[in-house]
Amino acid sequence: MGFLYEKLAKPALFLLDPETAHDAAVLAARAGGALKLPAWAARLACAGPQRTVKVAGLDFPNPVGLAAGFDKDCECYPFLGELGFGFLELGTVTLRPQPGNPKPRLFRLPEKAALLNRMGFNNRGAFAAAERLRRLGRGRVPLGINIGKNADCPLDQARENYLEALKVLYPYGDYFAVNISSPNTKQLRELHRPEYLEPLLDALLGFAASQPSKKPVFVKLAPDLEPEEIKDCARLIAGRGAGLIVSNTTVGREGLDRRWEHEPGGLSGAPLMEKARAALGAALDGAAGAVPVIASGGVMTPEEAAWRLEAGAALVQVYTGLVYGGPFFVRNILKHLARKESADA
Ligand SMILES: Cc1cc2nc3c(=O)[nH]c(=O)nc-3n(C[C@H](O)[C@H](O)[C@H](O)COP(=O)(O)O)c2cc1C
């Protein structure tokens, strides 16, 4: 089956421009989710050995999740939940709809097993997402909803912008991810600074605490800060009781052809691995075991997923690995984790 993806589906998808291929995949997943047979077939083909993990009070059937950015509009997650994932992170959703950056804004670097994107939070906004989440219902696995700031919202109004989005989406997520780390929204990464981060977190966590069901909040960090800065940031976030997702894409271009130096955007996949590992280490140091840390960035092999979990991540997320590895990527990771666990026992 993996052979079919490698030899047929992937070459066909890779003939398309990357964003068209992504849109086609979302469309297919929407159709697949609406029909019982494809969903059932996908479940049968893609399920891997399960290993329930409890993180932030939630039960995850396995520790491998889909990172944010694939289902930005919360429209195809029921089918994605059949691909073996232990959880799905939807979004980034912003309060108001916005078109994102001009196209082209997504690029493949197949020789590096990487993607470069400057999508810019293209999405139909929190109210439309909430309506679809209400209609499609809960998926098979825990859902995280990743929220971001509208591009036209100044930094000093970011707190209200995030808070309103959280309020609209709160009934539908099992956890929430606060995205302060996309490189594609001007000044967004300024929100790592304590003078912005503290009031932002106080507002979001205060709202969650005031609700009958207190849901966990995670903050997604950038990998491009100095290790000490990541550590300080993680300490601040953990001190307030929020978890961490480490990390988002990088603005670094180490090891790439010079043509990519002048192409703005965030790099993901294999070239991000070392940076994401280092950022995870610094975040784990800062969090000091007080809150869970989810690993993201450059997880392109089952061995790398195992490495992040052994390093101390509570859960791991993939995106670019799925694009290059195909729908059996998660199952292969889960098989590897199960084999390793029985060998270590
Ligand atoms: C096309 C694309 C769109 C993305 N959009 C988002 C997004 O909307 N919000 C977000 O937090 N991360 C977004 N990401 C970042 C991923 O969630 C992930 O953190 C990053 O790609 C590193 O993981 P990977 O190397 O496994 O892809 C996006 C990544 C890609 C490739």
Side-chain angles (χ1 to χ4, degrees), residues 67-69 72 92 106 117 146 179 220 247-248 268-269 296-298 319-320:
K72 283 179 185 279
T92 292
L106 176 58
N117 91 83
N146 180 308
N179 186 355
K220 188 166 179 180
S247 71
N248 213 314
S268 60
S296 161
Y319 187 145
T320 308

Side-chain angles (χ1 to χ4, degrees), residues 234-235 238 282-291 293:
R235 196 177 292 128
L284 285 166
D285 266 5
V291 295
V293 181

Side-chain angles (χ1 to χ4, degrees), residues 22 66-70 72 89-93 105-106 115-119 121-122 146-147 177-182 184 220 245-250 266-270 272-273 296-300 317-323 329:
H22 173 263
L66 176 67
F70 189 90
K72 283 179 185 279
E89 193 169 305
L90 312 179
T92 292
V93 180
R105 53 193 179 178
L106 176 58
L115 296 172
L116 188 143
N117 91 83
R118 51 169 176 269
M119 306 299 287
F121 296 164
N122 52 308
N146 180 308
I147 55 173
V178 185
N179 186 355
I180 57 168
S181 50
S182 165
N184 303 315
K220 188 166 179 180
I245 304 175
V246 185
S247 71
N248 213 314
T249 54
T250 176
L267 182 69
S268 60
L272 172 59
M273 184 184 84
S296 161
V299 176
M300 302 298 284
Q317 293 180 328
V318 298
Y319 187 145
T320 308
L322 183 73
V323 172
F329 184 54

Side-chain angles (χ1 to χ4, degrees), residues 221-223 225-235 246 279 282-283:
L221 299 185
L225 308 175
E226 292 301 318
E228 275 308 309
E229 291 175 311
I230 294 182
K231 198 169 155 181
D232 289 347
C233 213
R235 196 177 292 128
V246 185

Side-chain angles (χ1 to χ4, degrees), residues 124-148:
R124 284 175 258 163
F127 292 97
E131 173 51 26
R132 272 187 303 282
L133 284 156
R134 189 192 61 73
R135 192 159 36 81
L136 293 173
R138 308 195 48 81
R140 288 171 57 77
V141 297
L143 293 181
I145 304 180
N146 180 308
I147 55 173

